[in-house]
């Protein structure tokens, strides 16, 4: 029988199973961010020219794990928490099939741990993209498949949960916008992870010697059917978090639900075919194929992001205008709760996602422009703007709201929490701008030594890149400091925070 | 209301700022989309789309034949080749070398065939910052006209194993 | 919503910020266009 309690702050009816699922998924996500973030710090310290910390083999090994832990594991585990939050908790419903939910959690955890062990043992120095014919140990691919199957189960459970909630009469009529956003994420998630199965199973067979060969171009095409759309799961989840935080912190409601919901539908329609930012300067694919796919079909999914990035801050402004802060164009801007870490994280997330990640995403994704940016350091500059400055920061902010409602703990070190989004956001911005500037001089990504010491024909970069590479180092250290603050506050509150009644 | 169901009449008209922003954003997105096909017609810098299948053995023998015919020197054990612009030019990538060193003439148009004989590599011509993927099994043909004479380097920018950062080649334009 | 509301600005401040964003977007885009045309002719 489902057990419920009522949250005194939000008035939500929270079921015990759902609460525990969210706690464990989010808790593991935070722990994995700690691991992935540590590897990230080591990356920044290695690419900082005057530090150049790690030896080559450990640089490439930890870079593989930085991608796995910080990009895949942290973000997806947190999204699993969001799935239960939006499909169960805010519908005042119960989690269906709790055993299957826990099985999925277990699969993801075993898969994630397995990947980490195999890579740390030095058996899969292949980067998280594992481009064939670069070969990893079969256990690496098994880890990826277990993790992906676990995530796929949870995406499917999302649908089961909302159908059940409706049947049992927990809600009627239209889904709340937060749930609607995760609905978009789950649809994209199912399609994405099916691509993953289509490519990862043959790759596993190939690594075991059962399949004789695997075509490099086919692998890239289908891998990015998994790889880039999975970033759109993150975008949908992040935008849903923007809307939910606006409501929970300020009571702000979307200015126009029609616009916001239509924009989510644009994501579903146009993102699934958009795997090809990565393949613009590949052989084998035709020009038209590249143009249509790379542009999310005429940039209509980017258009959706531009709508959301307008609608969310517009909801802050219109809420405060209703409260009487109507002087000039910007009086409201002084009155938004800059000291609330959940709010400031979302505000910075919108700005960094749009200005750093979004603009460069469209520009680098333009077929011709890609020739002067592909695989340079500018590319990680772009996605540290989107996934780190955007998604990760928004999720960090949402954790501060989940701690009292789901974990039933008060925040420890509130001063740290207040400063954390700023430290992290500024650090990531410096890192990202440094990467993009260095990339415009052709500095390659995934590269241990850009002085090329020991090479037959060393190339000397323009000396000004030292400034930008130092920005990468300093920004990385600052972001890591913000990450440590987050992890201390989050884990500290979970274990040592004062209990909320 | 992101946590509650919306008010009953949520399908409502847009306000003025929403209408303008949505229109402006849509127009700008369509411009940046149509730039791509337009640049293929009117621009001179486009990603090549001519590709053939080729086996590592086939490609290696084509490279060797070109080196034998047009070699003019040697640097660090890598031949320097001055090919005829009217004939196909080959550049081979492998762990962890670009082979051979090409010597091109300024203002002449060349058809350079790129391929890899082992795993994936990234062709990055510096300081020009021109980047293309090089895949095993595929022959990627770029038609290129060098415009300034000088010494150029080719860096590998797709991770290709422990010696990835040592994979640097050279290219001359005379 | 009345006819009058339709011509009201809901969020004039954000609208200005959004236009600044768009201008920056277009500037960065055309900077890349300029850099691209400095490449050697390729196709």
């Amino acid at each position: 029988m489902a057990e419920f309690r009522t949250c005194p702050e939000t008035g939500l009816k929270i079921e015990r199973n759902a609460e525990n699922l969210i706690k464990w998924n989010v808790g593991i996500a935070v722990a994995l961010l700690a691991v992935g973030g540590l590897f990230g710090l080591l990356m920044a310290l290695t690419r900082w020219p005057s530090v150049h910390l790690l030896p080559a083999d450990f640089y490439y090994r930890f870079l593989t794990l930085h991608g796995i832990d910080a990009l895949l594991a942290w973000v997806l585990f947190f999204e699993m928490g969001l799935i239960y939050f939006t499909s169960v908790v805010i519908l005042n419903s119960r989690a269906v099939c709790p055993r299957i939910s826990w099985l999925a959690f277990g699969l993801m955890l075993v898969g994630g741990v397995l990947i980490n062990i195999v890579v740390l043992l030095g058996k899969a120095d292949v980067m998280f993209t594992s481009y064939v014919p670069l070969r990893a140990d079969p256990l690496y691919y098994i880890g990826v498949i277990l993790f992906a199957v676990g995530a796929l189960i949870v995406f499917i459970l999302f649908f089961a949960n909302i159908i059940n909630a409706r049947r049992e009469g927990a809600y009627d009529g239209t889904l709340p916008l937060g749930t609607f956003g995760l609905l978009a994420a789950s649809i994209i998630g199912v399609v994405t992870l099916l691509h993953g199965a289509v490519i990862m199973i043959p790759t596993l067979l190939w690594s075991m010697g059962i399949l004789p060969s695997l075509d490099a171009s086919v692998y890239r095409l289908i891998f990015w059917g998994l790889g880039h759309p999975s970033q759109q799961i993150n975008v949908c989840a992040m935008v849903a978090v923007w809307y939910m935080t606006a409501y929970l912190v300020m009571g702000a409601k979307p200015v126009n639900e029609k616009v916001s919901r239509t924009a989510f539908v644009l994501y579903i329609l146009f993102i699934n075919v958009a795997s090809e930012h990565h393949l613009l300067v590949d052989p084998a694919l035709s020009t038209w194929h590249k143009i249509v796919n790379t542009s999310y079909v005429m940039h209509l999914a980017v258009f959706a992001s531009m709508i959301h990035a307008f609608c969310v801050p517009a909801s802050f402004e219109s809420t405060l205008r209703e409260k009487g802060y109507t002087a000039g164009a910007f009086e409201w801007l002084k009155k938004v709760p800059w000291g609330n870490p959940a709010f400031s994280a979302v505000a910075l997330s919108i700005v960094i996602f749009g200005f750093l990640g979004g603009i460069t995403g469209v520009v680098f994704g333009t077929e011709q422009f890609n020739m002067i940016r592909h695989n340079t350091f500018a590319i990680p500059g772009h996605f540290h703007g989107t996934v780190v400055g955007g998604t990760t920061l928004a999720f960090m902010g949402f954790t501060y709201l989940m701690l009292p409602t789901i974990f039933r703990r008060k925040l420890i070190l509130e001063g740290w929490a207040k400063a954390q989004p700023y430290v992290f956001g500024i650090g990531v911005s410096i890192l990202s701008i440094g990467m993009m500037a260095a990339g415009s001089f052709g500095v390659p990504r995934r590269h241990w030594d850009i002085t090329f010491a020991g090479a037959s024909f060393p190339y000397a970069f323009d000396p000004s890149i030292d400034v930008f590479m130092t920005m990468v180092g300093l920004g990385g250290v600052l972001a890591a400091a913000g990450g440590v603050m987050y992890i201390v506050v989050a884990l500290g509150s979970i274990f040592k925070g004062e209990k909320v009644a | 209301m992101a946590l509650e169901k919306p008010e009953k009449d949520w399908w409502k008209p847009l306000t003025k700022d929403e209408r303008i922003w949505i229109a402006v954003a849509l127009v700008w997105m369509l411009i940046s989309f149509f730039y791509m096909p337009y640049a293929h017609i009117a621009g001179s810098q486009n990603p090549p789309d001519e590709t053939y299948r080729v086996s590592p053995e086939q490609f290696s023998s084509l490279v060797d034949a070109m080196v034998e015919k047009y070699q003019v020197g040697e640097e660090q054990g890598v031949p320097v080749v001055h090919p005829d612009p009217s004939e196909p030019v080959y550049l081979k990538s492998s762990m962890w070398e670009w082979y051979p060193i090409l010597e091109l003439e300024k203002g002449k148009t060349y058809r350079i065939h790129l391929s890899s004989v082992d795993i994936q590599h990234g062709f990055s011509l510096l300081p020009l910052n021109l980047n293309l993927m090089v895949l095993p099994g595929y022959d990627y043909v770029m038609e290129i006209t060098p415009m300034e004479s000088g010494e150029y380097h080719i860096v590998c920018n797709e991770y290709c194993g422990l010696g990835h950062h040592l994979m640097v080649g050279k290219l001359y334009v005379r | 919503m009345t006819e009058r509301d339709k011509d009201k600005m809901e969020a004039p401040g954000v609208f200005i910020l959004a236009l600044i964003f768009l201008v920056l977007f277009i500037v960065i885009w055309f900077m890349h266009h300029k850099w691209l045309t400095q490449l050697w002719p390729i196709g």
Side-chain angles (χ1 to χ4, degrees):
Chain A
M1 222 22 239
E3 288 175 58
F4 287 93
R5 68 177 173 86
T6 305
C7 172
E9 265 183 67
T10 55
L12 290 167
K13 270 170 70 192
I14 301 175
E15 192 233 356
R16 184 121 171 239
N17 274 321
E19 178 182 288
N20 287 333
L21 282 164
I22 297 172
K23 276 184 182 172
W24 277 95
N25 277 290
V26 170
I28 293 294
V30 176
L32 284 164
L33 178 66
V35 179
L38 171 67
F39 291 132
L41 174 66
L42 295 173
M43 295 303 101
L45 290 176
T46 304
R47 298 218 64 170
W48 188 346
S50 54
V51 181
H52 207 239
L53 183 70
L54 296 176
D57 50 349
F58 280 99
Y59 170 77
Y60 293 124
R61 193 161 301 158
F62 291 169
L63 182 52
T64 305
L65 280 181
H66 175 54
I68 292 284
D69 289 337
L71 178 65
L72 295 182
W74 139 254
V75 173
L76 271 163
F77 267 111
F78 198 94
E79 281 161 0
M80 301 301 114
L82 287 176
I83 281 187
Y84 295 118
F85 185 76
T86 55
S87 69
V88 181
V89 173
I90 66 179
L91 299 180
N92 296 303
S93 174
R94 68 178 176 96
V96 295
C97 316
R99 278 191 197 155
I100 295 177
S101 303
W102 286 112
L103 171 74
F105 172 77
L107 285 174
M108 286 177 72
L109 193 60
V110 170
V113 170
L114 183 61
I115 298 171
N116 273 272
I117 292 171
V118 175
V119 176
L120 280 177
L121 290 174
K123 291 187 170 172
D125 296 335
V126 292
M127 303 291 130
F128 91 97
T129 45
S130 58
Y131 286 141
V132 303
L134 201 59
R135 194 188 297 252
D137 191 279
L139 284 173
Y140 172 87
Y141 305 106
I142 290 174
V144 174
I145 291 168
L146 290 178
F147 186 87
V149 169
L152 181 60
I153 293 173
V154 183
F155 282 123
I156 293 169
L157 281 170
F158 177 91
F159 302 105
N161 278 325
I162 56 173
I163 291 166
N164 174 68
R166 194 178 192 99
R167 275 206 189 145
E168 295 186 352
Y171 83 100
D172 59 344
T174 316
L175 284 173
L177 188 59
T179 311
F180 193 77
L182 265 293
L183 172 69
S186 299
I187 293 172
I188 298 170
V190 169
V191 178
T192 298
L193 290 166
L194 289 177
H195 280 99
V198 168
I199 197 58
M200 279 303 159
I201 291 167
T203 308
L204 169 65
L205 296 177
W206 164 78
S207 77
M208 291 160 64
I210 297 171
L211 272 183
S213 69
L214 209 54
D215 187 279
S217 179
V218 169
Y219 177 88
R220 288 172 66 84
L221 180 68
I222 308 177
F223 177 84
W224 285 113
L226 162 77
H228 213 94
S230 68
Q231 301 316 310
Q232 317 308 332
I233 305 171
N234 304 346
V235 172
C236 285
M238 172 188 74
V239 173
V241 163
W242 289 353
Y243 283 113
M244 291 192 289
T245 305
Y247 178 68
L248 283 166
V249 173
M250 298 176 61
K253 49 183 186 178
V255 177
N256 192 321
E257 294 254 359
K258 173 169 79 172
V259 173
S260 304
R261 281 163 198 262
T262 309
F264 274 122
V265 173
L266 288 176
Y267 279 151
I268 301 169
L269 292 178
F270 297 114
I271 268 170
N272 280 317
V273 283
S275 52
E276 282 170 40
H277 293 74
H278 308 263
L279 313 177
L280 293 173
V281 292
D282 268 26
L285 300 169
S286 78
T287 296
W288 268 108
H289 182 92
K290 289 175 182 175
I291 290 175
V292 172
N293 286 288
T294 185
S295 62
Y296 293 137
V297 193
M298 309 222 284
H299 288 131
L300 287 176
V302 186
F303 172 55
S305 294
M306 288 171 84
I307 294 176
H308 287 305
F310 178 82
C311 289
V312 178
S315 76
F316 307 154
E317 179 173 352
S318 107
T319 307
L320 285 164
R321 278 183 188 277
E322 272 170 29
K323 287 185 186 161
Y325 302 111
T326 51
F330 296 114
E331 191 197 12
W332 62 276
L333 209 50
K334 293 178 207 141
K335 301 293 177 189
V336 289
W338 294 112
N340 182 326
F343 175 83
S344 61
V346 162
L348 288 169
S349 164
I350 295 170
V351 171
I352 298 172
F353 183 85
F355 281 78
L356 295 182
I359 293 180
T360 56
V362 175
V363 171
F364 301 165
T366 300
E367 195 207 1
Q368 287 82 1
F369 299 162
N370 194 255
M371 276 198 299
I372 55 174
R373 290 296 176 271
H374 178 75
N375 270 359
T376 68
F377 217 18
I379 302 300
H382 150 70
F383 67 69
H384 280 78
T386 53
V387 183
V388 189
T391 307
T392 298
L393 189 50
F395 288 0
M396 285 172 163
F398 206 63
T399 315
Y400 299 132
L401 297 175
M402 280 187 166
L403 285 171
T405 34
I406 301 295
F407 290 87
R408 288 195 274 173
R409 300 279 182 167
K410 281 194 181 148
L411 259 63
I412 62 160
L413 299 170
E414 267 190 71
W416 281 39
K418 269 185 189 171
Q420 188 271 330
Y422 296 98
V423 176
F424 188 78
I426 292 168
V428 172
S429 301
I430 296 171
L431 171 93
S432 162
I433 292 168
M435 283 175 162
M436 291 193 263
S440 70
F441 287 88
V443 172
R445 69 187 284 198
R446 296 177 166 177
H447 201 282
W448 177 66
D449 181 17
I450 53 167
T451 64
F452 308 104
S456 304
F457 310 104
Y459 170 69
F461 277 104
D462 188 303
S464 63
I465 66 146
D466 270 355
V467 177
F468 305 129
M469 297 307 279
T470 304
M471 278 173 76
V472 171
L474 288 171
V477 169
L478 195 59
V484 169
M485 289 162 80
Y486 165 75
I487 286 154
V488 168
V489 173
L491 293 184
S493 306
I494 291 171
F495 292 112
K496 297 269 174 215
E498 197 186 317
K499 281 193 178 136
V500 178
Chain B
M1 267 181 238
L3 293 193
E4 287 155 30
K5 70 173 179 175
E7 296 146 36
K8 229 175 172 184
D9 55 343
W10 59 271
W11 195 262
K12 62 183 184 182
L14 282 64
T15 54
K16 191 179 175 188
D17 43 353
E18 285 174 321
R19 290 200 305 275
I20 300 175
W21 175 249
I22 288 172
V24 168
L26 181 61
V27 167
W28 171 237
M29 284 296 97
L30 291 177
I31 291 174
S32 38
F33 171 74
F34 283 106
Y35 172 85
M36 291 192 274
Y38 171 76
H40 273 280
I41 299 162
S44 326
Q45 288 86 10
N46 284 296
D49 76 337
E50 192 180 340
T51 312
Y52 304 96
R53 281 197 182 276
V54 70
S55 73
E57 297 75 32
Q58 281 171 323
F59 195 79
S60 293
S61 62
L62 290 165
V63 175
D64 291 342
M66 176 192 73
V67 171
E68 200 170 315
K69 199 166 170 192
Y70 292 110
Q71 181 167 5
V72 291
E74 194 183 280
E75 276 183 49
Q76 309 261 5
V78 182
V80 181
V81 173
H82 190 114
D84 189 325
S86 65
E87 283 187 38
V89 180
Y90 298 94
L91 182 63
K92 179 177 84 176
S93 62
S94 61
M95 292 154 87
W96 295 288
E97 181 183 59
W98 297 97
Y99 182 95
I101 297 172
L102 298 172
E103 194 178 272
L104 308 176
E105 287 170 37
K106 186 181 154 183
K108 298 269 171 66
T109 301
Y110 292 85
R111 282 167 59 78
I112 301 180
H113 296 246
L114 291 170
S115 190
S116 161
V117 294
D118 42 43
I119 61 174
Q120 305 192 12
H121 297 283
F123 171 91
S124 181
L125 185 62
L126 297 174
L128 209 60
N129 201 7
L130 167 67
N131 307 285
L132 297 170
M133 281 307 297
V134 187
L135 305 186
Y138 290 91
D139 171 4
Y140 200 15
V141 191
M142 62 165 155
E143 214 169 277
I144 191 164
T145 316
M147 297 306 282
E148 294 117 311
S149 49
E151 184 187 303
Y152 295 85
H153 284 80
I154 303 165
V155 164
C156 177
N157 69 6
E158 185 56 78
Y159 170 72
C160 58
L162 249 189
H164 168 51
H165 46 273
L166 301 175
M167 185 170 167
V168 188
K170 247 181 172 179
L171 185 146
Y172 294 105
V173 178
R174 305 258 189 237
Chain C
M1 188 178 281
T2 64
E3 275 306 303
R4 220 184 116 261
D5 283 346
K6 265 169 60 177
D7 287 321
K8 204 186 77 183
M9 289 277 218
E10 186 78 31
V14 173
F15 186 69
I16 294 169
L17 296 176
L19 289 181
I20 295 171
F21 169 82
L22 188 74
V23 169
L24 193 77
F25 197 156
I26 294 171
V27 168
I28 292 176
W29 199 91
F30 275 99
M31 274 161 64
H32 283 79
H33 173 73
K34 191 178 145 240
W35 290 328
L36 176 75
T37 53
Q38 289 165 351
L39 271 188
W40 299 342
I42 177 173

